[in-house]
Amino acid sequence: MTSQPNAQIPDGCAFVIFGVTGDLTHRLVIPALYNLAEANLLPEKFCVVGITRKEMSSEDLRASLMHGLRKFATRPVNEEIADKLLYCVTAVSADPSERASFDRLRERLEKLEANRNTGGNRLFYLATPPDAFAPISTELGRAGLLKEEGGAWRRLVVEKPFGTDLASAKALNDHLLSIVSEHSLYRIDHYLGKETVQNILVLRFSNGMFEPIWNREHIDHVQITVDEKLGVAHRGSFYDKTGALRDMVPNHLFQLLSLVAMEPPSHFNAHSVRSAKAEVLAAIQQQSEEEALQNSVRGQYTAGTVGDTEIGDYRSVEDVDPASTTETYAALKLTIDNWRWAGVPFYLRTGKALGAKRTEVAIKFKQAPFAMFRCTPIEELSQNYLVIGIEPVEGIALQFNTKIPGPTIAIDGVEMTFRYKDYFKVAPSNGYETLLHDCMIGDNILFQRADGVEAGWQAVQPFLDAWDKAGAEGLQSYPAGSNGPEEAEALLKRDGRNWREPS
């Protein structure tokens, strides 16, 4: 991450991490804080408080975090910067089942704030399993740790998944919003920290060539793909209760969909942008359970080879039910009931243990209205796609037709490609840097709001209900290392379309 000339330095604050000994903190949070420190984007008056369930010395916690930083850093570690960051780490034990521990936490925190002169500003980061969000936030509220007073701010950051269905998402929203205000609640989705995802807004709204054709008159359909090569590995217990749909669609894929499909916001601020995103998610057509079955495909991987790696059958993974009907692949067809997108299908797909890792948005434009070049059959013309690549290659590609050099009119498809790494020389990051920085400066433009979260769950609820009732019926299998179940191809072919293959 490279510091930008106009980047805001956050106010002094205490960065309090619940789940500090976990994988997320070691793999992403601390390396992101290090990258911010290297870019001079951390406040000088700053401390990190790591909350542990059991007593742990600050020295042992610092050593563990340093080990994780060296292992997961996205760039060479400057020991001086790392030492300065980790020097301000303090371990404090607290357990929501022991109310007195949160009272002790408040006392310890007030002393640390006085010593570090942070001004009383606090950011509480819940890098924990979702079932800990409610009990931890309850105790933070009861102990007065989230109460804003004396001009100091308090912010609460929660990771995904935010609920497991519409009812649980509403209940969690109601609970958290009874403790903190919407403005102080940051529902984090690391996908929105990726530069290419943020660039969708810039691509759409700062280029006059796109907005006039960004509608049903010119766009045939939109494909959003999030393919993963990894299997479930050691996450069997979590994944078998969750599945591909819950794990990826209401958050990652819907965030991409909302950025592609939202109306231009009146202003580039958190309220306007988040309102526009929530409105388009609320406009996704509500399907019946029968329609949901017709407009979806779910699959589960069997044994196979991904690259050089052998992957066993999903049902053989530790802590997975041997008769599990949990999907590891999901494909959906959705439509948006508004003026801009009426009649334009949005096809979404995501899966585990697939042949290639790929995250992209492909916008397919309509064919030219008539075949002027009759010597070239229309089916042989290249399709006009605007492809926004997010992983593994960050960039934008435009596919169009051109004449092959020579004395006759022969046509072939070509691709113009822009890659971020070729044009911008920036240090590697993990995507959390922007999000953590925004949390500290109080900019929640990249974070979901309650109405957006609930609109996303409302759109997928018919699929959850239909699949739950169907059980094993309709669950397709696909070998690890493939492109997913064959039935996913039929989902588009019945509409006369095909999934875009990577170029």
Side-chain angles (χ1 to χ4, degrees):
M1 181 174 183
T2 302
S3 180
Q4 297 176 341
N6 60 347
Q8 179 181 340
I9 305 298
D11 297 330
C13 65
F15 194 105
V16 185
I17 307 175
F18 286 82
V20 71
T21 60
D23 179 67
L24 176 63
T25 299
H26 284 72
R27 184 167 46 88
L28 293 170
V29 177
I30 294 300
L33 287 177
Y34 169 84
N35 290 345
L36 287 171
E38 189 181 65
N40 295 315
L41 288 176
L42 285 184
E44 188 64 32
K45 299 171 182 178
F46 183 69
C47 66
V48 176
V49 181
I51 307 301
T52 61
R53 296 289 288 267
K54 298 180 180 179
E55 289 288 343
M56 184 179 191
S57 71
S58 296
E59 290 74 16
D60 287 345
L61 178 57
R62 290 169 190 157
S64 175
L65 295 177
M66 177 63 87
H67 176 76
L69 176 60
R70 291 194 177 109
K71 181 178 180 180
F72 297 111
T74 59
R75 63 192 72 169
V77 175
N78 181 308
E79 296 293 327
E80 183 178 349
I81 295 173
D83 288 342
K84 182 179 179 181
L85 172 65
L86 295 178
Y87 174 75
C88 70
V89 172
T90 302
V92 178
S93 63
D95 187 331
S97 64
E98 185 191 351
R99 300 182 69 179
S101 67
F102 276 72
D103 296 319
R104 293 193 296 271
L105 169 60
R106 184 186 64 244
E107 295 171 3
R108 289 287 305 276
L109 192 52
E110 288 171 351
K111 291 179 181 178
L112 286 168
E113 290 170 336
N115 290 336
R116 300 291 298 188
N117 196 24
T118 62
N121 299 316
R122 299 169 187 166
L123 188 150
F124 295 94
Y125 193 110
L126 306 192
T128 65
D131 59 7
F133 295 167
I136 291 175
S137 60
T138 297
E139 284 306 305
L140 289 174
R142 182 200 60 79
L145 287 158
L146 288 167
K147 184 179 180 181
E148 294 186 339
E149 52 191 359
W153 51 257
R154 308 283 192 269
R155 294 171 190 146
L156 181 65
V157 184
V158 295
E159 278 280 345
K160 80 165 190 77
F162 198 87
T164 57
D165 56 17
L166 179 58
S168 62
K170 284 183 173 179
L172 184 55
N173 273 329
D174 291 345
H175 177 80
L176 294 177
L177 292 175
S178 71
I179 299 169
V180 295
S181 67
E182 181 66 68
H183 182 72
S184 299
L185 181 58
Y186 290 71
R187 302 171 188 82
I188 197 166
D189 184 340
H190 73 270
Y191 258 50
L192 288 180
K194 296 180 181 297
E195 291 289 348
T196 322
V197 174
Q198 296 173 54
N199 194 51
I200 295 174
L201 287 174
V202 178
L203 178 74
R204 284 192 59 192
F205 301 129
S206 69
N207 294 295
M209 69 184 83
F210 291 124
E211 181 57 26
I213 61 172
W214 209 266
N215 54 55
R216 68 184 189 281
E217 298 295 334
H218 301 280
I219 292 177
D220 178 77
H221 71 275
V222 177
Q223 298 180 20
I224 301 177
T225 299
V226 180
D227 288 348
E228 299 180 280
K229 292 173 66 174
L230 296 176
V232 174
H234 61 280
R235 301 172 67 222
S237 178
F238 163 78
Y239 201 88
D240 208 40
K241 298 173 185 175
T242 306
L245 182 61
R246 284 186 172 92
D247 190 36
M248 300 295 288
V249 175
N251 37 72
H252 294 344
L253 276 81
F254 274 7
Q255 287 303 303
L256 295 173
L257 182 149
S258 63
L259 290 170
V260 168
M262 64 188 277
E263 292 299 311
S266 56
H267 299 90
F268 189 68
N269 58 35
H271 175 74
S272 298
V273 171
R274 297 202 295 179
S275 293
K277 289 170 63 180
E279 285 171 8
V280 78
L281 291 176
I284 296 174
Q285 185 183 56
Q286 188 76 10
Q287 302 190 32
S288 67
E289 291 182 19
E290 182 180 355
E291 290 170 330
L293 287 177
Q294 182 181 359
N295 292 321
S296 67
V297 173
R298 60 191 174 115
Q300 187 183 92
Y301 69 79
T302 56
T305 303
V306 179
D308 297 327
T309 303
E310 295 286 337
I311 292 185
D313 190 280
Y314 169 74
R315 293 180 179 178
S316 69
V317 173
E318 183 179 1
D319 296 325
V320 168
D321 183 347
S324 173
T325 59
T326 298
E327 78 286 351
T328 60
Y329 180 98
L332 313 177
K333 175 187 176 182
L334 304 173
T335 55
I336 297 174
D337 289 340
N338 64 15
W339 189 265
R340 181 184 294 266
W341 297 111
V344 178
F346 284 70
Y347 300 101
L348 282 60
R349 59 176 170 172
T350 183
K352 293 277 191 185
L354 297 171
K357 181 179 178 66
R358 176 169 52 135
T359 299
E360 70 174 31
V361 177
I363 294 107
K364 167 69 168 59
F365 292 96
K366 291 184 176 180
Q367 295 284 6
F370 67 95
M372 182 170 123
F373 303 102
R374 301 193 183 279
C375 57
T376 303
I378 191 72
E379 64 271 11
E380 293 183 14
L381 291 174
S382 176
Q383 299 187 69
N384 297 150
Y385 274 108
L386 177 67
V387 182
I388 302 168
I390 297 163
E391 285 185 305
V393 177
E394 292 186 302
I396 300 168
L398 181 64
Q399 296 178 6
F400 57 95
N401 291 289
T402 190
K403 177 184 176 297
I404 299 173
T408 60
I409 298 294
I411 299 174
D412 197 6
V414 297
E415 182 175 284
M416 290 198 320
T417 303
F418 155 73
R419 292 185 177 89
Y420 275 81
K421 68 176 183 178
D422 296 337
Y423 197 85
F424 298 109
K425 306 302 178 185
V426 295
S429 63
N430 64 29
Y432 268 64
E433 295 84 356
T434 297
L435 299 175
L436 298 185
H437 181 260
D438 284 353
C439 289
M440 287 186 278
I441 66 173
D443 183 355
N444 44 24
I445 197 169
L446 294 178
F447 299 83
Q448 295 190 72
R449 204 169 60 188
D451 53 348
V453 169
E454 292 174 17
W457 279 114
Q458 182 171 311
V460 302
Q461 191 65 50
F463 297 93
L464 293 172
D465 294 340
W467 292 359
D468 183 56
K469 291 177 182 178
E473 184 179 352
L475 179 67
Q476 311 297 330
S477 63
Y478 64 96
S482 68
N483 291 327
E486 294 180 1
E487 288 75 10
E489 299 293 336
L491 185 65
L492 272 70
K493 284 186 176 180
R494 74 181 187 210
D495 296 338
R497 301 181 174 99
N498 294 286
W499 290 109
R500 194 191 85 87
E501 294 302 320
S503 56

